[in-house]
Amino acid sequence: PTPAGAPASSGSSANAGSLDFAQLRRGVVQVEQQGRPMAVGTVLSKDGRVLTALSALGGVETPEIRYADGTVVKAKIGHKDKAWDLALLIPQSGKWLDGLMPTDADPTGLTLQAFLPKAGKLGPSTVGLKGKIEAHAKEGEALPNVLDFDLKGLPSIPGAPIINPDGRVVGILAKACKDAAPAAPE
């Protein structure tokens, strides 16, 4: 079931023009330290866990999460993934009930939106899907559902959601770096 106040899915992209991004910001949070913004994150589940950029935390182990309604809670880092530049934050008090809802629709051909910086502010921007890419974990196993987006030259913010026309999350922006090829022996 969709949380109260969350956008309902109609199953089609016919309502793409009516999507209210102010409404979706409930599931987008600001990660900060002592009131200073550090990163943006996405609420993953009803218990308030947040996915954000690990590099933006700069070594801070106990950041604060500011929700769209202004509520601020202390958090701790529950998991770090340096290869994808992502951190999972666990709130230390309270619950957040309006996270973004995932989609099971294929994003190919849909008009997708991402929260990206433009003109010094964070706002929705249209992004295109280039296709699926083959990515592998350190252990060598393929990672399913990894997508390649065209951000039209805009900087990305790891941890920010990619949203379909129905207001559901298609993916989370992540930054992954390939290891440099080993130098050829001389």
Side-chain angles (χ1 to χ4, degrees):
T2 303
S9 174
S10 68
S12 81
S13 60
N15 64 345
S18 65
L19 186 58
D20 181 4
F21 283 96
Q23 214 178 15
L24 289 175
R25 289 182 193 268
R26 283 189 309 256
V28 179
V29 299
Q30 179 170 288
V31 180
E32 52 188 53
Q33 182 183 29
Q34 298 176 348
R36 182 181 54 87
M38 300 168 51
V40 67
T42 301
V43 179
L44 293 180
S45 70
K46 291 182 180 182
D47 64 5
R49 289 178 292 155
V50 170
L51 192 63
T52 191
L54 178 61
S55 62
L57 298 178
V60 173
E61 292 290 325
T62 55
E64 297 155 347
I65 300 170
R66 179 177 302 275
Y67 296 103
D69 68 356
T71 304
V72 178
V73 298
K74 292 194 180 295
K76 69 176 183 177
I77 297 176
H79 181 74
K80 299 177 185 179
D81 189 323
K82 289 182 183 178
W84 289 92
D85 189 28
L86 293 172
L88 180 67
L89 303 181
I90 313 291
Q92 297 302 291
S93 63
K95 289 190 174 216
W96 185 251
L97 299 177
D98 287 330
L100 295 170
M101 300 298 293
T103 185
D104 56 6
D106 183 350
T108 307
L110 295 178
T111 300
L112 304 173
Q113 300 282 326
F115 287 91
L116 302 172
K118 47 184 192 176
K121 293 187 176 184
L122 187 65
S125 296
T126 301
V127 297
L129 178 64
K130 289 182 179 177
K132 295 188 179 198
I133 58 175
E134 187 173 325
H136 296 276
K138 286 187 230 178
E139 297 79 26
E141 62 192 53
L143 297 173
N145 304 319
V146 177
L147 305 172
D148 188 14
F149 291 102
D150 180 7
L151 300 180
K152 298 176 177 62
L154 295 170
S156 65
I157 300 177
I162 302 286
I163 302 167
N164 75 8
D166 293 328
R168 294 188 169 249
V169 177
V170 171
I172 305 290
L173 288 174
K175 174 180 154 187
C177 301
K178 293 183 180 178
D179 291 333
E186 293 182 22

